Each structure stands twice: as C-alpha cells, then as structure tokens.
Amino acid sequence: MKKHARKLQSHDPVCGKRINRNKAHIVVEYKGRDYLLCCPLCQAEFEKHPEKYSR
Ligand SMILES: [Zn+2]
C-alpha cells in the first residue's frame, strides 16, 4: 500500500538544502502553502522571487 500523505516539503527551495524539521527553521507562507527556509538569507531571496521558488 502506498503512502501518499501530503506533507510539507523538506528542502529549502532556494538553496536546495535539506531541512531537518526538528530543528529551527523559517516557515514562509505563499499562496496557501508553507515553505521551509534554512536561514534569513534564503528567506529574503524567497520573498524577492516567490514565483521562481514556489514550484
Ligand atoms: Zn537555504
């Protein structure tokens, strides 16, 4: 049986780094989805170009 539970992506869309969700990270909401960012720099970049990183 396949598991297809929808879960939050676990990679930083900006730098591609894997996010350990047990550790501190930044969550940005964009168009109703939550995106995990590893650091304020990636957050700033994401917020500059959300369309580029949200797909
Ligand atoms: Zn990052």
Side-chain angles (χ1 to χ4, degrees):
M1 204 179 285
K2 281 183 180 176
K3 285 184 187 174
H4 268 300
R6 280 183 74 102
K7 55 182 181 179
L8 218 53
Q9 48 88 21
S10 55
H11 287 78
D12 183 322
V14 176
C15 68
K17 203 185 282 181
R18 248 178 117 177
I19 306 277
N20 183 341
R21 298 181 61 196
N22 295 321
K23 288 188 180 172
H25 51 257
I26 298 160
V27 181
V28 174
E29 200 190 311
Y30 177 70
K31 289 188 176 176
R33 271 194 69 183
D34 290 332
Y35 294 90
L36 303 181
L37 289 310
C38 68
C39 64
L41 287 179
C42 287
Q43 180 187 10
E45 180 65 18
F46 182 87
E47 287 175 343
K48 254 188 264 174
H49 309 285
E51 312 253 321
K52 180 176 163 187
Y53 294 114
S54 62
R55 44 166 298 156

